[in-house]
Protein backbone atom coordinates (compact mmCIF):
# COMPACT_ATOMS: atom_id res chain seq x y z
CA UNK A 1 0.00 0.00 0.00
CA UNK A 2 2.84 2.38 0.88
CA UNK A 3 4.57 1.67 -2.42
CA UNK A 4 1.39 2.29 -4.38
CA UNK A 5 0.72 5.52 -2.49
CA UNK A 6 4.22 6.84 -3.06
CA UNK A 7 4.03 5.92 -6.75
CA UNK A 8 0.72 7.73 -7.07
CA UNK A 9 2.13 10.83 -5.36
CA UNK A 10 5.23 10.76 -7.52
CA UNK A 11 3.08 10.50 -10.66
CA UNK A 12 0.95 13.43 -9.49
CA UNK A 13 3.99 15.56 -8.73
CA UNK A 14 5.54 14.73 -12.12
CA UNK A 15 2.38 15.78 -13.97
CA UNK A 16 2.01 18.90 -11.82
CA UNK A 17 5.63 19.94 -12.42
CA UNK A 18 5.19 19.40 -16.16
CA UNK A 19 2.03 21.51 -16.19
CA UNK A 20 3.76 24.22 -14.15
CA UNK A 21 6.63 24.24 -16.65
CA UNK A 22 4.21 24.60 -19.54
CA UNK A 23 2.27 27.46 -17.95
CA UNK A 24 5.31 29.45 -16.82
CA UNK A 25 7.15 28.94 -20.10
CA UNK A 26 4.12 29.94 -22.16
CA UNK A 27 3.72 33.03 -19.97
CA UNK A 28 7.38 33.98 -20.39
CA UNK A 29 7.34 33.50 -24.16
CA UNK A 30 4.10 35.44 -24.71
CA UNK A 31 4.78 38.50 -22.51
CA UNK A 32 6.95 41.57 -23.14
CA UNK A 33 8.57 42.00 -19.73
CA UNK A 34 11.96 40.38 -20.21
CA UNK A 35 14.00 43.58 -20.06
CA UNK A 36 13.37 47.13 -18.85
CA UNK A 37 15.59 49.95 -20.12
CA UNK A 38 15.96 53.67 -19.55
CA UNK A 39 18.03 55.64 -22.05
CA UNK A 40 18.37 59.21 -23.35
CA UNK A 41 17.02 59.98 -26.81
CA UNK A 42 17.16 63.21 -28.78
CA UNK A 43 13.95 63.82 -30.70
CA UNK A 44 14.33 65.20 -34.21
CA UNK A 45 12.17 67.79 -35.95
CA UNK A 46 10.21 64.96 -37.58
CA UNK A 47 9.58 63.29 -34.22
CA UNK A 48 8.29 66.53 -32.71
CA UNK A 49 6.01 67.18 -35.67
CA UNK A 50 4.71 63.61 -35.60
CA UNK A 51 3.59 63.97 -31.98
CA UNK A 52 2.24 67.55 -32.46
CA UNK A 53 4.83 69.17 -30.21
CA UNK A 54 4.79 72.37 -32.28
CA UNK A 55 5.80 74.64 -29.44
CA UNK A 56 9.29 73.11 -29.44
CA UNK A 57 9.53 72.17 -33.11
CA UNK A 58 12.26 74.72 -33.65
CA UNK A 59 14.77 72.69 -31.67
CA UNK A 60 15.63 69.12 -30.86
CA UNK A 61 14.41 67.94 -27.49
CA UNK A 62 16.23 65.39 -25.36
CA UNK A 63 13.92 62.96 -23.60
CA UNK A 64 14.37 59.89 -21.43
CA UNK A 65 12.97 56.76 -23.02
CA UNK A 66 11.51 54.12 -20.73
CA UNK A 67 11.30 50.83 -22.61
CA UNK A 68 10.30 47.26 -22.00
CA UNK A 69 11.20 44.38 -24.24
CA UNK A 70 10.05 40.82 -24.79
CA UNK A 71 10.83 38.22 -27.42
CA UNK A 72 8.45 39.76 -29.94
CA UNK A 73 8.07 43.49 -29.16
CA UNK A 74 9.95 46.52 -27.87
CA UNK A 75 7.55 49.01 -26.24
CA UNK A 76 7.80 52.55 -24.89
CA UNK A 77 6.51 53.34 -21.39
CA UNK A 78 5.10 56.71 -20.26
CA UNK A 79 6.95 58.72 -22.90
CA UNK A 80 7.25 62.44 -21.95
CA UNK A 81 5.15 61.91 -18.82
CA UNK A 82 2.37 60.22 -20.74
CA UNK A 83 2.11 62.94 -23.42
CA UNK A 84 2.81 60.35 -26.10
CA UNK A 85 0.85 57.07 -25.96
CA UNK A 86 2.78 53.87 -25.39
CA UNK A 87 3.85 52.27 -28.65
CA UNK A 88 5.22 48.80 -29.43
CA UNK A 89 7.67 48.00 -32.19
CA UNK A 90 7.17 44.53 -33.64
CA UNK A 91 10.47 42.69 -34.04
CA UNK A 92 11.08 41.70 -37.66
CA UNK A 93 12.73 38.28 -37.70
CA UNK A 94 13.20 38.43 -41.48
CA UNK A 95 15.45 41.46 -41.22
CA UNK A 96 19.16 40.86 -41.69
CA UNK A 97 21.89 42.26 -39.49
CA UNK A 98 21.96 43.37 -35.87
CA UNK A 99 20.38 46.79 -36.30
CA UNK A 100 23.61 48.51 -35.28
CA UNK A 101 24.36 52.02 -36.49
CA UNK A 102 26.33 54.95 -35.16
CA UNK A 103 24.22 56.82 -32.65
CA UNK A 104 21.36 54.31 -32.74
CA UNK A 105 19.47 54.04 -29.44
CA UNK A 106 19.81 50.88 -27.41
CA UNK A 107 16.19 49.94 -28.08
CA UNK A 108 17.02 49.57 -31.78
CA UNK A 109 20.27 47.62 -31.45
CA UNK A 110 18.74 45.32 -28.82
CA UNK A 111 16.34 43.98 -31.45
CA UNK A 112 19.22 42.13 -33.11
CA UNK A 113 20.05 40.50 -29.79
CA UNK A 114 16.49 39.36 -29.24
CA UNK A 115 16.27 37.75 -32.69
CA UNK A 116 19.20 35.49 -31.75
CA UNK A 117 17.64 34.16 -28.54
CA UNK A 118 13.89 34.09 -29.24
CA UNK A 119 13.62 30.79 -31.20
CA UNK A 120 15.07 28.63 -28.42
CA UNK A 121 12.40 29.34 -25.75
CA UNK A 122 9.79 28.53 -28.40
CA UNK A 123 11.53 25.19 -29.07
CA UNK A 124 11.59 24.60 -25.29
CA UNK A 125 7.84 25.22 -25.16
CA UNK A 126 7.18 22.63 -27.89
CA UNK A 127 9.43 20.09 -26.14
CA UNK A 128 7.56 20.67 -22.88
CA UNK A 129 4.24 19.95 -24.59
CA UNK A 130 5.72 16.71 -25.95
CA UNK A 131 7.03 15.84 -22.47
CA UNK A 132 3.62 16.30 -20.87
CA UNK A 133 1.97 14.10 -23.51
CA UNK A 134 4.55 11.33 -23.06
CA UNK A 135 4.35 11.61 -19.28
CA UNK A 136 0.57 11.26 -19.33
CA UNK A 137 0.66 8.28 -21.69
CA UNK A 138 3.44 6.64 -19.68
CA UNK A 139 1.47 7.05 -16.46
CA UNK A 140 -1.67 5.53 -17.97
CA UNK A 141 0.01 2.59 -19.68
CA UNK A 142 2.94 2.20 -17.27
CA UNK A 143 5.45 1.78 -20.07
CA UNK A 144 8.63 3.34 -21.42
CA UNK A 145 6.97 6.58 -22.49
CA UNK A 146 7.76 7.95 -19.01
CA UNK A 147 11.48 7.86 -19.70
CA UNK A 148 10.86 9.48 -23.10
CA UNK A 149 9.04 12.28 -21.24
CA UNK A 150 12.13 12.75 -19.07
CA UNK A 151 14.27 13.14 -22.20
CA UNK A 152 11.88 15.78 -23.57
CA UNK A 153 11.95 17.68 -20.27
CA UNK A 154 15.76 17.62 -20.19
CA UNK A 155 15.99 18.87 -23.77
CA UNK A 156 13.42 21.56 -23.00
CA UNK A 157 15.42 22.81 -20.03
CA UNK A 158 18.65 22.81 -22.02
CA UNK A 159 17.05 24.68 -24.92
CA UNK A 160 15.62 27.29 -22.57
CA UNK A 161 18.93 27.67 -20.73
CA UNK A 162 20.85 28.19 -23.98
CA UNK A 163 18.25 30.73 -25.12
CA UNK A 164 18.53 32.70 -21.87
CA UNK A 165 22.33 32.63 -21.99
CA UNK A 166 22.30 33.86 -25.58
CA UNK A 167 19.82 36.59 -24.61
CA UNK A 168 22.06 37.83 -21.79
CA UNK A 169 25.25 37.53 -23.85
CA UNK A 170 23.77 39.33 -26.86
CA UNK A 171 22.51 42.17 -24.65
CA UNK A 172 25.94 42.63 -23.08
CA UNK A 173 27.48 42.56 -26.55
CA UNK A 174 25.12 45.26 -27.84
CA UNK A 175 25.61 47.41 -24.75
CA UNK A 176 29.38 47.15 -25.11
CA UNK A 177 29.15 48.15 -28.78
CA UNK A 178 26.91 51.11 -27.96
CA UNK A 179 29.22 52.26 -25.16
CA UNK A 180 32.25 52.15 -27.47
CA UNK A 181 30.60 54.03 -30.33
CA UNK A 182 28.54 56.67 -28.51
CA UNK A 183 30.16 56.67 -25.08
CA UNK A 184 28.73 55.66 -21.70
CA UNK A 185 25.72 57.52 -20.37
CA UNK A 186 24.67 57.96 -16.76
CA UNK A 187 21.05 58.16 -17.93
CA UNK A 188 21.12 54.60 -19.24
CA UNK A 189 19.93 51.83 -16.90
CA UNK A 190 18.44 48.39 -17.41
CA UNK A 191 17.19 45.45 -15.40
CA UNK A 192 15.51 42.13 -16.13
CA UNK A 193 11.74 41.89 -15.77
CA UNK A 194 9.45 39.28 -14.31
CA UNK A 195 9.10 37.41 -17.62
CA UNK A 196 12.84 36.68 -17.48
CA UNK A 197 12.58 35.24 -13.97
CA UNK A 198 9.47 33.25 -14.87
CA UNK A 199 11.54 31.65 -17.64
CA UNK A 200 14.15 30.78 -15.01
CA UNK A 201 11.54 29.08 -12.84
CA UNK A 202 10.36 27.14 -15.92
CA UNK A 203 13.90 25.80 -16.35
CA UNK A 204 14.02 24.58 -12.73
CA UNK A 205 10.61 22.91 -12.92
CA UNK A 206 11.48 21.30 -16.26
CA UNK A 207 14.57 19.60 -14.84
CA UNK A 208 12.60 18.63 -11.71
CA UNK A 209 9.97 17.02 -13.94
CA UNK A 210 12.70 15.03 -15.69
CA UNK A 211 14.08 13.76 -12.37
CA UNK A 212 10.64 12.66 -11.17
CA UNK A 213 9.87 10.90 -14.45
CA UNK A 214 13.14 8.96 -14.28
CA UNK A 215 12.51 8.05 -10.63
CA UNK A 216 8.98 6.96 -11.43
CA UNK A 217 10.15 4.81 -14.32
CA UNK A 218 12.83 3.10 -12.25
CA UNK A 219 10.39 2.46 -9.40
CA UNK A 220 7.94 0.81 -11.78
CA UNK A 221 10.73 -1.34 -13.23
CA UNK A 222 12.64 -2.30 -10.08
CA UNK A 223 12.67 -6.08 -10.72
CA UNK A 224 15.69 -7.75 -12.28
CA UNK A 225 13.60 -8.85 -15.27
CA UNK A 226 12.59 -5.25 -15.89
CA UNK A 227 16.17 -4.00 -15.62
CA UNK A 228 17.27 -6.66 -18.12
CA UNK A 229 14.64 -5.37 -20.53
CA UNK A 230 15.70 -1.74 -20.02
CA UNK A 231 19.50 -2.03 -20.24
CA UNK A 232 20.90 -3.52 -23.48
CA UNK A 233 23.41 -6.33 -22.90
CA UNK A 234 22.54 -6.77 -19.22
CA UNK A 235 20.99 -10.21 -19.84
CA UNK A 236 24.24 -11.55 -21.34
CA UNK A 237 26.23 -10.07 -18.45
CA UNK A 238 23.98 -11.71 -15.87
CA UNK A 239 24.15 -15.02 -17.70
CA UNK A 240 27.97 -14.88 -17.72
CA UNK A 241 28.02 -14.10 -14.01
CA UNK A 242 25.66 -17.00 -13.29
CA UNK A 243 27.84 -19.37 -15.33
CA UNK A 244 30.92 -18.14 -13.48
CA UNK A 245 29.28 -18.65 -10.10
CA UNK A 246 28.08 -22.12 -11.15
CA UNK A 247 31.62 -23.08 -12.27
CA UNK A 248 33.14 -21.91 -8.97
CA UNK A 249 30.50 -23.87 -7.08
CA UNK A 250 31.34 -27.06 -8.99
CA UNK A 251 35.07 -26.58 -8.33
CA UNK A 252 34.45 -26.07 -4.62
CA UNK A 253 32.28 -29.19 -4.53
CA UNK A 254 34.97 -31.27 -6.28
CA UNK A 255 37.66 -30.07 -3.88
CA UNK A 256 35.43 -30.91 -0.94
CA UNK A 257 34.91 -34.47 -2.29
CA UNK A 258 38.66 -34.94 -2.82
CA UNK A 259 39.53 -33.78 0.68
CA UNK A 260 37.01 -36.10 2.26
Amino acid sequence: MTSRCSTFMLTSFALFAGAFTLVTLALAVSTDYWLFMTEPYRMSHEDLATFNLTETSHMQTSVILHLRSGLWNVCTINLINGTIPDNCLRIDFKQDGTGRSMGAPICMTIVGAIRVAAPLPVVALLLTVSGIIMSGLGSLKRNGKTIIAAVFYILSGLSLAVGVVLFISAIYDELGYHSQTTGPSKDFTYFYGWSFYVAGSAFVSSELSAVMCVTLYLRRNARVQDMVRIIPGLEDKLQDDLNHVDTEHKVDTSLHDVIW
Side-chain angles (χ1 to χ4, degrees):
M1 180 64 69
T2 303
S3 177
R4 290 182 179 179
C5 180
S6 59
T7 300
F8 173 77
M9 293 180 62
L10 191 60
T11 303
S12 301
F13 280 128
L15 293 175
F16 174 78
F20 180 82
T21 302
L22 179 63
V23 172
T24 52
L25 189 52
L27 186 63
V29 169
S30 61
T31 53
D32 298 324
Y33 298 92
W34 281 66
L35 187 71
F36 286 84
M37 295 174 288
T38 300
E39 62 173 315
Y41 177 69
R42 184 171 294 276
M43 299 185 69
S44 65
H45 301 302
E46 291 78 9
D47 294 331
L48 294 171
T50 299
F51 296 110
N52 297 321
L53 301 177
T54 55
E55 67 276 6
T56 58
S57 59
H58 64 280
M59 60 179 295
Q60 289 185 332
T61 302
S62 181
V63 298
I64 300 297
L65 286 179
H66 299 279
L67 305 159
R68 60 178 172 85
S69 171
L71 300 179
W72 318 109
N73 301 292
V74 177
C75 305
T76 60
I77 304 173
N78 196 29
L79 188 59
I80 313 182
N81 296 322
T83 305
I84 301 175
D86 293 348
N87 186 35
C88 290
L89 171 67
R90 191 72 175 178
I91 297 174
D92 185 8
F93 284 84
K94 297 180 181 179
Q95 181 181 350
D96 296 329
T98 61
R100 292 175 174 177
S101 62
M102 291 295 294
I106 294 292
C107 64
M108 299 306 296
T109 60
I110 214 70
V111 170
I114 296 172
R115 287 204 305 263
V116 174
L120 288 172
V122 177
V123 172
L125 182 61
L126 297 177
L127 289 171
T128 300
V129 173
S130 301
I132 291 177
I133 294 174
M134 290 294 105
S135 179
L137 293 176
S139 299
L140 290 175
K141 298 184 179 181
R142 297 178 175 272
N143 56 17
K145 290 184 175 63
T146 305
I147 200 69
I148 297 177
V151 174
F152 278 126
Y153 284 133
I154 292 173
L155 293 177
S156 174
L158 291 176
S159 178
L160 179 59
V162 172
V164 170
V165 170
L166 287 177
F167 182 77
I168 296 173
S169 301
I171 288 173
Y172 277 121
D173 182 53
E174 298 297 342
L175 296 180
Y177 170 82
H178 187 81
S179 178
Q180 292 175 2
T181 55
T182 63
S185 174
K186 64 179 181 180
D187 294 323
F188 173 75
T189 59
Y190 77 97
F191 60 91
Y192 296 104
W194 60 265
S195 296
F196 178 86
Y197 295 105
V198 167
S201 65
F203 167 77
V204 175
S205 62
S206 176
E207 299 307 307
L208 183 61
S209 300
V211 171
M212 287 189 288
C213 284
V214 172
T215 304
L216 185 60
Y217 181 74
L218 293 177
R219 177 168 295 184
R220 288 172 176 169
N221 299 274
R223 298 179 305 172
V224 176
Q225 295 88 339
D226 297 325
M227 297 301 295
V228 168
R229 180 166 49 85
I230 295 172
I231 303 175
L234 182 60
E235 183 177 2
D236 295 335
K237 176 64 176 176
L238 289 175
Q239 186 63 42
D240 292 339
D241 291 341
L242 289 175
N243 293 336
H244 182 69
V245 171
D246 185 58
T247 301
E248 289 183 347
H249 177 70
K250 290 181 179 179
V251 171
D252 291 340
T253 303
S254 300
L255 289 174
H256 181 271
D257 294 339
V258 170
I259 293 173
W260 290 96

